[in-house]
Amino acid sequence: MLCTRLTNARILTMDPDHPVAHDLGIWRGRIVGLDEAVTSLPAREVVDLQGATVLPGFIDSHVHLAWAGLKADTPSIAPCERIEDVLAVIEEAAARKGEPGAWVDVAGYDQRALGRHLTAAEIDRVSQGRKIFLMHDSGHACVVNSAVLDLLPAEVPHQDGFLAESAMTAVRRLRLPYSQEELADAIERAGRGCLAEGITACAEAGIGGGLLGHSPVELGAYQLLRDRGRLPLRVQLMAAGDTLRPRVAHRDDGIPRALDLGLRTGFGDDWLSLGALKIYTDGGMMARTAALTEPYEGMSHTGQFQDEPERIADLVVDGHLAGWQLAVHAIGDRAADLALDALERAQRLRPRPTARHRVEHAGLIRPDQLPRFARLGVSAVVQPNFLRYFGDDYADVMGERRAPWMYRGRGFLDHGVTLVGSSDRPVTDGSPLRAIQFMVERASTSGRAIGPDEAVTVDEALHAYTVAGAYACHWDDSAGSLTPGKRADLVVLGDDPRTVDTSRIGDIEVVATYVDGRTEPVKE
């Protein structure tokens, strides 16, 4: 007997051997058959979907759940556009912290809305003796007041309280770690937001260190949720590159650096596992720290690397030698050169053609770099909603010649590169449907066309959030398509993205999300 049979649906399986079905059978969290294979079988529950569209659950291959959950519960200065309004929010947040010297977090900071960065002196006027920390929306910078600056070593660089990249990391280290209970609550909160958008699995892009790690024992917060049955969706964890340490290993293993116990990609179960090793090369476009080969339009600088290029490259090689899948953050084209050079050196030293290394973001990729992605078998994990919401600004700072190279779609596919969709939540909107709409129409919210030649078809965009997402996370044997034997993770939509007008894809209703064959309703 089946546990559940879904019937009277338009099921887009993403499986070329059986692309469309009307019935789907579920038993113990797995898909057991489609159409005539299950139509006549008895089931404990028969769900008539009344013509709704069913797809494999969306996979968001690059998120920050802990950050997203914490941010949702933090006072925000968005969408303030005047300095005095921002300071008023900070003053109110500081007043709610009773004890002098307490840390006060404020979210939503983006200097572009203000026309310049805030200064420590301005924040001092309203900080009431508290330590003020404003996280930049990009995750690559912050602004703090003098009470925080006074705690930093003299060699940490800042510009009147503005700190970027590794300098921001120095600030974050002053007050880590968060408690596992606090992180668990934040992760659960963000995970339920993912479910509401049809996401059934995701990859947490960096725990335990790096720019956005919240605790050296951050994995414990995810295990806490897993043990208590509160983990809302499947999560793959990327360990931050700086969590690797030199380890004495047998010479035949050839492992120069590793986590304690030698843990690496693949450890875990269907709900919680270790994925790629996350390695940063550069910053971000929003903070103007992505590393470019030519200056930002109208500016004199080309962004920055997170560390000395040789040290970054050595970490990439060591991670590869230790058996990790690598997720190399590279937004600018100069950073992509560094990432591709290091990955090529790593594969030359120890060929691992099945490693499925990834470049995270691939925000600005020159035409000559596309064949290198393909030759190295590197996936491109892009964030289409960056251009949907920030595309006007990004196009301006890249200039007319380079703007079409941003967050490519067609260019990667035409070169045989696996194109993977993701959000980088909470940097921007996490909705896969709105991202899919952008991938097809390549228009920002203002209507501006951003690299229209990079548009893909609806089927190709859906593939990026299902089949390709599963491939990038080494889940392709159990997820990404509605194929017998795979997990019963799926999303029920109020309309078919392939048949509605493109401009309506992002507004399609998510009716329900199923994880492990159990439904999570998202509407009352």
Side-chain angles (χ1 to χ4, degrees), residues 182-213:
E182 186 177 10
L183 291 176
D185 289 344
I187 293 160
E188 183 179 20
R189 186 182 307 122
R192 297 206 172 278
C194 290
L195 284 180
E197 294 171 341
I199 298 165
T200 57
C202 66
E204 169 70 60
I207 64 165
L211 288 176
L212 297 172

Side-chain angles (χ1 to χ4, degrees), residues 188-466:
E188 183 179 20
R189 186 182 307 122
R192 297 206 172 278
C194 290
L195 284 180
E197 294 171 341
I199 298 165
T200 57
C202 66
E204 169 70 60
I207 64 165
L211 288 176
L212 297 172
H214 292 86
S215 166
V217 291
E218 194 166 359
L219 190 151
Y222 290 87
Q223 284 192 279
L224 199 65
L225 289 174
R226 175 75 174 90
D227 293 345
R228 294 175 178 176
R230 290 171 47 199
L231 193 61
L233 73 171
R234 305 183 196 277
V235 180
Q236 187 179 87
L237 303 171
M238 299 185 199
D242 56 358
T243 60
L244 292 194
R245 297 287 181 268
R247 295 293 176 223
V248 177
H250 193 282
R251 64 183 182 185
D252 290 347
D253 292 337
I255 298 174
R257 282 188 270 185
L259 296 184
D260 288 341
L261 304 180
L263 295 177
R264 56 175 173 80
T265 302
F267 183 81
D269 60 21
D270 280 352
W271 281 93
L272 184 64
S273 61
L274 269 181
L277 184 72
K278 173 74 176 295
I279 298 175
Y280 286 94
T281 63
D282 66 344
M285 284 189 190
M286 193 189 303
R288 312 309 195 225
T289 52
L292 312 178
T293 52
E294 299 175 21
Y296 288 86
E297 194 77 6
M299 304 178 194
S300 59
H301 69 93
T302 57
Q304 65 187 76
F305 287 127
Q306 293 285 352
D307 199 346
E308 292 299 321
E310 295 78 11
R311 289 168 56 89
I312 296 172
D314 287 347
L315 180 56
V316 169
V317 171
D318 286 354
H320 174 88
L321 294 177
W324 286 87
Q325 178 191 21
L326 302 176
V328 186
H329 167 115
I331 292 185
D333 59 332
R334 182 160 57 106
D337 281 333
L338 173 58
L340 294 171
D341 287 347
L343 290 169
E344 186 169 22
R345 174 157 67 98
Q347 290 283 17
R348 189 168 57 247
L349 289 172
R350 181 178 295 170
R352 285 177 52 216
T354 60
R356 300 189 190 180
H357 295 322
R358 313 158 34 146
V359 169
E360 308 300 298
H361 308 297
L364 185 75
I365 301 299
R366 302 187 309 270
D368 65 286
Q369 292 173 316
L370 293 170
R372 293 196 70 195
F373 270 80
R375 188 170 66 252
L376 291 168
V378 174
S379 299
V381 183
V382 300
Q383 297 75 41
N385 275 337
F386 278 13
L387 293 189
R388 177 176 171 84
Y389 294 97
F390 311 141
D392 294 1
D393 173 64
Y394 286 10
D396 287 344
V397 297
M398 289 301 108
E400 184 177 354
R401 180 174 62 88
R402 291 182 294 181
W405 304 345
M406 294 191 299
Y407 296 93
R408 290 176 178 269
R410 175 58 51 205
F412 284 125
L413 292 179
D414 285 352
H415 283 79
V417 177
T418 300
L419 176 67
V420 183
S422 69
S423 69
D424 205 15
R425 170 194 313 265
V427 175
T428 191
D429 185 346
S431 165
L433 286 170
R434 284 189 281 275
I436 287 165
Q437 178 178 324
F438 174 83
M439 294 176 79
V440 177
E441 63 183 9
R442 297 287 300 193
S444 70
T445 52
S446 73
R448 180 174 178 176
I450 311 290
D453 290 343
E454 291 295 323
V456 302
T457 68
V458 174
D459 281 331
E460 289 167 334
L462 291 172
H463 188 277
Y465 276 90
T466 54

